[in-house]
Each structure stands twice: as C-alpha cells, then as structure tokens.
Amino acid sequence: MNAEQKESFRLALLRVLDERASERFGLTVQAIQVFLGQFGFRASKVDEVNVELQYLADKGYVVEISKTISPENRCWRITAEGRDFIAQ
C-alpha cells in the first residue's frame, strides 16, 4: 500500500469500529475484515489488519479488549479519542 491507501485503510478501520461501537466485547479481526468490504478493502489480509490496528492502538485510537476465554481471538474497539478523531 502506498501512503494514501494506508491512510484510507486506517480511516476505514476507525469507521468500522465507530459504526459498531455498541458491540460491548469489540470486534475480532475477522469481523473487521468483513466490514472493511464496504469501504473497498475486500481483500485485506489478517496481517495487514493487525499491523494497522496496532498502529492505531499506539496512537490511542483503538484498544484491544482483554479476554479470559480464547484470548487468541483478539478483539478491538474504538476509544473516545478515536471517535473524536473521526468526528473532526
């Protein structure tokens, strides 16, 4: 991905999580991949999604949900800072 595509991808990730902020336990990477299709990212790979989610987490825009059952199925949700960023 070039820089412009990466920015669009990151924004799509935030929008997916923002639109589903009521999901109490967050979304798995696989669910996020499905929802990214509406933004034109139908062929996104798990590794790409994980890398960009970690970038957004480092920025404070998303957070990984701590799970005691099946922690290998990572779940993510948007933070208040991420929602504010999308609202701008």
Side-chain angles (χ1 to χ4, degrees), residues 61-75:
Y61 294 152
V62 302
V63 65
E64 186 175 357
I65 302 299
S66 178
K67 294 173 53 178
T68 55
I69 298 176
S70 300
E72 67 277 6
N73 297 324
R74 299 171 75 186
C75 287

Side-chain angles (χ1 to χ4, degrees), residues 10-13 16 18 36 41 43 46 50 53 57 60 62 68 76-77 80:
R10 289 170 181 165
L11 289 171
L13 285 168
V16 163
D18 185 44
L36 281 171
F41 295 101
V46 172
N50 279 324
L53 284 169
V62 302
T68 55
W76 299 86
R77 71 169 179 78

Side-chain angles (χ1 to χ4, degrees), residues 23-40:
E23 295 293 328
R24 187 172 151 199
F25 299 107
L27 293 174
T28 64
V29 172
Q30 290 78 11
I32 293 169
Q33 280 181 292
V34 171
F35 295 125
L36 281 171
Q38 69 185 334
F39 296 101

